């Protein structure tokens, strides 16, 4: 089944070329547009299943701001970033903004398709080596904890903080339940409450937010 998508890139020719290739492979392309700064308005108005977001400078400040707005106003839309391989901080920034995946610009079209399908299914779509570097940056940020981390921490109970720490360590529901001595259904409820309180839609986003704001760094002295 084809994916209903949009392609945006700062280079219109690249966006249109990728859109044409994906149309030939049976996908429904709602729009191919440039620049990426206008991506949010297009996605909000068209509401695709997936947005392919091309950028040549993933480490630049504010480059992923459109993704933040997309996820705020159309949380059901999965965003896959297409870009070069920057420092892990650049890839981490994409996930922190709400992206579901990151694919290299030189990836084959089959790789882009796989990422689209995985992202639409709610899975993280990125090569293992890219995720490894990104998670290292997310879980060990260079920035100092900020006031947002303190505010978010105060919204969570001690048990929810423990759940968040386990989520950040990559534990699934079964491992969380076993580690805390609770039923899987209870662990699942705790995870959903943490996601709701943090205002995010996935465990990956929760881990990214916790790392970016220094929330977990503050947990030890405050809890």
């Amino acid at each position: 089944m084809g994916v209903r998508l949009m392609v945006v890139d700062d280079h219109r020719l690249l966006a249109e070329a990728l859109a044409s290739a994906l149309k030939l492979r049976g996908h429904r392309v709602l729009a191919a547009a440039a620049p990426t700064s206008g991506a949010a308005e297009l996605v909000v108005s068209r509401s695709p299943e997936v947005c392919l977001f091309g950028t040549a400078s993933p480490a630049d400040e504010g480059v992923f701001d459109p993704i933040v707005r997309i996820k705020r106003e159309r949380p059901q839309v999965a965003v896959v970033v297409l870009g070069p391989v920057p420092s892990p901080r650049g890839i981490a920034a994409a996930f922190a903004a709400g992206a579901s995946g990151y694919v290299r610009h030189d990836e084959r079209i089959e790789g882009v398709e796989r990422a689209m399908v995985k992202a639409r299914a709610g899975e993280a779509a990125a090569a293992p080596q890219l995720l490894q570097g990104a998670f290292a940056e997310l879980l060990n940020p260079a920035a100092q904890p900020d006031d947002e981390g303190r505010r978010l921490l105060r919204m969570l109970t001690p048990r929810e903080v423990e759940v968040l720490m386990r989520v950040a360590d990559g534990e699934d529901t079964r491992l969380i339940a076993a580690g805390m001595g609770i039923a899987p259904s209870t662990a699942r409820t705790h995870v959903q409450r943490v996601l709701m309180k943090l205002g995010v839609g996935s465990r990956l986003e929760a881990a990214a937010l916790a790392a970016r704001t220094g929330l977990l760094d503050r947990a030890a002295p405050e809890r």
Side-chain angles (χ1 to χ4, degrees), residues 162-171 176 191 195 203-204 206-207:
E162 182 180 355
V163 169
L164 179 57
M165 294 178 73
R166 291 179 179 276
V167 167
D169 285 338
E171 294 187 10
I176 293 173
V191 170
L195 298 184
R203 299 180 185 214
L204 182 63

Side-chain angles (χ1 to χ4, degrees), residues 26-51:
H27 301 287
R28 183 185 175 192
V29 180
L30 303 181
T36 54
S37 58
E41 291 184 7
L42 281 172
V43 170
V44 169
S45 64
R46 304 285 183 93
S47 197
E49 294 175 308
V50 175
C51 172

Side-chain angles (χ1 to χ4, degrees), residues 6 8-9 35-44 50-55 57-83 90-103 199-202 204-205 208:
M6 291 180 56
V8 293
D9 195 291
T36 54
S37 58
E41 291 184 7
L42 281 172
V43 170
V44 169
V50 175
C51 172
L52 296 179
F53 186 96
T55 177
S57 306
D60 287 357
E61 183 177 356
V63 69
F64 296 127
D65 286 352
I67 298 179
V68 174
R69 181 183 168 192
I70 289 170
K71 297 305 294 184
R72 182 176 65 246
E73 300 189 28
R74 292 289 186 271
Q76 73 277 14
V77 177
V79 180
V80 176
V81 174
L82 306 177
I91 300 175
F95 282 104
S100 299
Y102 193 105
V103 179
V200 296
S202 70
L204 182 63
E205 289 180 70

Side-chain angles (χ1 to χ4, degrees), residues 175-188:
L175 288 176
I176 293 173
M180 298 180 65
I182 58 179
S185 59
T186 303
R188 191 174 299 109

Side-chain angles (χ1 to χ4, degrees), residues 193-213:
R193 286 182 61 83
V194 168
L195 298 184
M196 179 183 67
K197 286 186 176 182
L198 296 182
V200 296
S202 70
R203 299 180 185 214
L204 182 63
E205 289 180 70
L209 179 63
R212 178 175 59 80
T213 62

